[in-house]
Amino acid sequence: MVSIDRMTDDDVKEVAEIERQCFALPWSEKSFHDEMTNKLAVYFTAKEDGKCVGYAGFWNVSGDGGITNIAVLPAYRRRGVASMLMEEMIRAADALGIDLLTLEVRKSNLAAQELYKKYGFDIIGERKRYYSDNGEDAFIMTKILSK
Ligand SMILES: CC(C)(COP(=O)(O)OP(=O)(O)OC[C@H]1O[C@@H](n2cnc3c(N)ncnc32)[C@H](O)[C@@H]1OP(=O)(O)O)[C@@H](O)C(=O)NCCC(=O)NCCS
C-alpha cells in the first residue's frame, strides 16, 4: 500500500536517488536538504512498504503555488502514485489559501502533460529553450483552485 507523507530530511537520500533515475538535470542531494529548511517549500513523499517510490513538491510564494517537481520511480509508474501525490499537493495548496498552481513541463513530456491535464491544468504559454541540457522549450501550465 502506498502512503503519502510530508517529506523530512531523513527522506532526502532516497529522494535524490529517485531524482537521478527520473531527470536529465537532477537536483542534487544538497538542494533537497536545503528545501527541507525552506519555509516556502511543501514536499511530499510516496512510500510503499517503507521505500520511497515517488515525491512531489511546490513553493508557496505569496499565495502562488509553483510546482517544482513530481517524479515516480520507473518500476512504480502507471499505478496511480503520481495521482496520489498530485491530490495531496492540491489539498495542501488549497489549505494554504493558494489560488493558482503553476508549473513548467518539457514539450516532449507527454506523460506528465497528461497527468497535469487530468488534474485540471491548462497550457497557458511557453518558455523558449527553458531546459539547458538540450535547449528544449517548456509549456507553462496552470490550475486555478476553487475558493
Ligand atoms: C509523469 C509521472 C510522474 C507519472 O507518474 P505515474 O505514477 O506513472 O502516474 P499515474 O499512474 O498517477 O497516472 C496519472 C495519469 O497520468 C497520465 N500518464 C501517466 N503516465 C503516462 C504515460 N506514460 N502516457 C500517457 N499518460 C500518462 C495518465 O493520464 C494517467 O491517468 P490514467 O492512469 O487514468 O490514464 C512519471 O511518469 C514520472 O516520474 N516521469 C519522470 C519524471 C517527470 O517527467 N516528471 C514531471 C516533470 S514536469
Side-chain angles (χ1 to χ4, degrees):
M1 210 183 85
V2 174
S3 63
I4 307 295
D5 302 290
R6 276 298 283 261
M7 191 191 295
T8 72
D9 208 55
D10 292 341
D11 298 314
V12 162
K13 221 177 177 55
E14 278 186 287
V15 167
E17 178 53 32
I18 296 174
E19 182 79 1
R20 280 190 288 274
Q21 291 194 35
C22 293
F23 292 109
L25 296 169
W27 283 19
S28 68
E29 203 170 311
K30 181 178 182 308
S31 317
F32 287 105
H33 282 301
D34 291 346
E35 286 293 74
M36 293 300 98
T37 58
N38 176 354
K39 288 195 168 36
L40 304 179
V42 180
Y43 278 87
F44 296 98
T45 56
K47 289 184 184 166
E48 188 169 86
D49 301 327
K51 178 185 165 67
C52 199
V53 299
Y55 84 93
F58 66 89
W59 280 25
N60 175 14
V61 183
S62 309
D64 274 350
I67 293 182
T68 55
N69 263 338
I70 180 163
V72 174
L73 283 174
Y76 293 83
R77 289 183 190 162
R78 298 315 302 258
R79 291 171 38 192
V81 175
S83 300
M84 290 174 71
L85 286 162
M86 186 57 86
E87 284 164 26
E88 192 62 38
M89 282 201 292
I90 291 168
R91 258 196 299 275
D94 227 0
L96 286 165
I98 286 172
D99 41 35
L100 185 73
L101 283 173
T102 303
L103 57 84
E104 283 88 17
V105 57
R106 287 180 193 259
K107 279 190 176 175
S108 65
N109 193 347
L110 300 179
Q113 288 166 36
E114 285 306 311
L115 167 72
Y116 302 140
K117 282 183 199 155
K118 183 175 164 186
Y119 284 95
F121 286 79
D122 295 313
I123 293 171
I124 57 125
E126 54 187 74
R127 297 194 202 283
K128 290 286 177 203
R129 303 188 61 79
Y130 185 71
Y131 297 97
S132 62
D133 61 326
N134 62 355
E136 188 172 353
D137 299 345
F139 281 133
I140 305 166
M141 297 183 78
T142 60
K143 173 185 172 68
I144 296 171
L145 298 181
S146 53
K147 292 282 175 198

